[in-house]
Amino acid sequence: MASRLPETLFETVGQGPAPSKDYYQLLVTRSQVIFRWWKISLRSEYRSTKPGEAKEIHEDFLENLHLQSQTALIFGTRILNYVINLCKGKFDFLERLSDNLLLNIISYLDLEDIARLSQTSHRFAKEYSPPDSSTTWTFQKPLACPAPLTCLPAELKGKDCVT
């Protein structure tokens, strides 16, 4: 299954913590982690600073605590944990599904199972969450419902779906 993954598994960019204006990129490929930075400063001593890059194979990244701490500082611990899992070969295929395919899959689940799924997936919890403790389910992000609508559970038919 991992052989069907794209060459770039994950990519994100960000700015360093204040007061820094430095710009960073984190790229995870099938074989390595690439950490790039650009120094942004009005000070004359930094004007000639060239961009930097650190490349580590997955095994070396798992042992490089300095690079891990830089990743956590700039991108957050959630991103660091995700990258560590990628380096260990633990791929989150649920995060990679298209919205329509994910909606089609969840249309076969009971509402209780959908609620449990939202506890295990950050993407699902953010995009498809109940507004409160009531049993009414709404989509925070409008999606095209798969045709025909008969594949949706009775509770979801006609609920905030774009047809």
Side-chain angles (χ1 to χ4, degrees):
M1 184 64 116
S3 64
R4 294 182 182 223
L5 292 172
E7 179 59 30
T8 300
L9 301 176
F10 179 72
E11 181 178 9
T12 188
V13 294
Q15 187 175 349
S20 173
K21 301 282 188 216
D22 299 347
Y23 184 76
Y24 297 89
Q25 177 191 35
L26 181 65
L27 181 70
V28 182
T29 68
R30 285 191 205 177
S31 60
Q32 59 185 329
V33 176
I34 304 168
F35 187 84
R36 296 182 178 129
W37 62 91
W38 293 263
K39 189 86 170 155
I40 310 295
S41 177
L42 296 175
R43 294 183 174 179
S44 59
E45 64 263 24
Y46 294 118
R47 286 191 183 156
S48 62
T49 303
K50 297 192 184 308
E53 179 179 82
K55 289 184 179 182
E56 299 277 357
I57 61 172
H58 289 178
E59 293 80 14
D60 291 345
F61 178 80
L62 293 173
E63 295 175 6
N64 189 335
L65 298 179
H66 176 69
L67 194 52
Q68 288 182 25
S69 66
Q70 286 294 103
T71 302
L73 179 67
I74 295 159
F75 301 107
T77 55
R78 185 173 155 260
I79 296 293
L80 173 62
N81 291 335
Y82 184 67
V83 171
I84 288 172
N85 283 331
L86 287 176
C87 290
K88 290 179 177 179
K90 298 177 182 177
F91 305 109
D92 188 355
F93 292 103
L94 185 63
E95 293 288 329
R96 298 179 173 281
L97 295 177
S98 70
D99 287 341
N100 287 337
L101 182 57
L102 185 58
L103 181 63
N104 194 359
I105 291 170
I106 66 167
S107 70
Y108 294 98
L109 300 176
D110 295 328
L111 288 178
E112 291 175 7
D113 294 331
I114 294 172
R116 284 189 203 110
L117 181 60
S118 69
Q119 295 172 347
T120 62
S121 167
H122 290 285
R123 173 184 172 200
F124 193 83
K126 182 178 75 175
E127 294 179 3
Y128 318 105
S129 59
D132 52 33
S133 61
S134 72
T135 58
T136 304
W137 195 270
T138 60
F139 291 108
Q140 302 298 324
K141 178 179 176 185
L143 293 175
C145 291
L149 290 177
T150 56
C151 69
L152 293 173
E155 295 88 353
L156 293 180
K157 287 182 183 175
K159 299 281 186 187
D160 297 333
C161 291
V162 178
T163 57

